[in-house]
Amino acid sequence: MPTLRLLLAMATLAVAATTAAPAAAPAEEAAALTLVQPTRQPLPDTSNITGELIERLGVSKFFSLWLVFNDPTETDIKTGVDYVILAPKEPAPLQKEADPQDRPAIVKKLLLDHVILGQKLNLAGREDKKPFTLSTLGGRDVEFSFKQDQWFANEALIVGSPAEIPAHGELVVLNKYAFADYDPSAVPKEGSEAASSPAPAVLSSSSSSQPAAEPTTAAPEEAFLGDLADELSKITEVFNLTRVPIFNKFLPDAKVSELLKPGEQYTVLFPMDRAFQKWHPIDWGFYPFSVPEFTSEIVRSHFVHGTLRLDQITDGFQTKTLTNRTLTFKKLPSGDVIVNGVPVMRREVALQKGTVLVIPDVLFVNHQVVQELRAKNMDKETPPLIAFPWWNAQFLSHAFLSLDKNGTFPSIERLLNMVPNLHLRVPGKDYTFLVPTEDAFQKAGLSIPSWWSSEKHQSDVLSPKKMETIEDFLLRHLIHRRFYMRELVPELQMQALDSTTYIVEHKGEKSLLSENVFSEL
């Protein structure tokens, strides 16, 4: 396997380096062996913030950005620690023109600049109305001041009373971002922090320097699919900002538009990239999502008619997907939701046309399903690269080793061993081998002595003409295309590598070839 070879190469390199390099001092050795652990971002425990609350307060768009912290290996959730989240109402979305490589850092910086960890404000019970300053997780200071009977966070007005989050949190709603450099319409004051610091990417949905696009018309179904595809493409900016999610790449071929009705709401159970990657072979093997029909069916099965909200789902609730598959939900005492055995992330994403529920696994796919799919689509399986018997003829090599392992096809094995340059006539992959059984050889009156395959006797006993006849015989049994039994329909024509044409006939449950593939050796 490539991985094994790489590890061996690394081990060899390490040994060579150890041999060549002078002995290091003990202190240097200790320093060289020190492992630097990656820093995990501290975050508050937001599990008690419900979808109903953020929708009621009008901060759903702000909280949909929180999915940028979807990798648990990169975060450190501080359970039991007080916190304050400053959530602006209707924040401007990320600018689409921003460099995709920069979007994760921009979103994370924006969120961390609006989170205070380690204490709460308690503004309602605060008798002292003097200004005070707190630092956010992003390292920026927020000044809280009381002016004209209202509290402000920097220049942003605090709307209403802060919402108490059960246990340790406060959710404070602002009328705009706490920092002016996140507001594209604001002009920073001279000498302010926003004026002196480099501004992040403008958080506007379009650029005023670009001419307005001409209005276009489309059929209702096409327009609706465009809206849905556009909305799901926004997920790229939210939780996988450096590349298009795998699920999105499968959407065009799945033709979900055929199942959608214009103007109606839908819920998408959105598998994360790791959900697909866990089914990908490391070096070689079978990847179920390389089968187009299966992949399209599975993708469609992640769409549900209607809007599902986590806080409204009850234990035991069942519904059907657009492909009529059953989804069964389980509600745990902790509030967590599980669908068909797969946990659902606690934060849903509200879209104009419905809701996105993020899941870590692909639904309706398990090892039994994959094995049954593999048996029907073995051409999609990538085999290991082997150097024996013929490194440049992978199909022929795998076929020979399979026949040898089976042990019941000695005659055809001997013939394969006899033609030294057969691999040049059958290079690469994607062939069908019509393998004669031992009974077939006997019925044809053909006997292949074991000594024929001995290199020692081939040149002495077998004439060049005989070797050419044997090569033609083998080519007559090889077709440059992979065929399954289910594809052998009546009147199907197949052409062998020696240009012989076979026509498929059916007799009862058997498939027959109209041409006798045997000739005298």
Side-chain angles (χ1 to χ4, degrees), residues 75 196 213 230 306 321 334 365 373 386 392 422 445 478 510:
T75 58
S196 59
D230 180 61
T321 69
S334 61
V365 180
L373 184 68
I386 55 178
N392 67 326
L422 182 64
L478 286 159
K510 295 182 179 180

Side-chain angles (χ1 to χ4, degrees), residues 431-467:
Y431 295 89
T432 296
F433 194 0
L434 305 173
V435 180
T437 63
E438 290 304 296
D439 287 343
F441 277 97
Q442 292 177 8
K443 289 179 181 178
L446 300 175
S447 176
I448 312 298
S450 59
W451 55 264
W452 272 24
S453 59
S454 171
E455 294 182 4
K456 181 179 179 180
H457 297 95
Q458 280 178 14
S459 58
D460 297 336
V461 179
L462 300 179
S463 64
K465 183 67 176 176
K466 195 73 169 178
M467 295 290 289

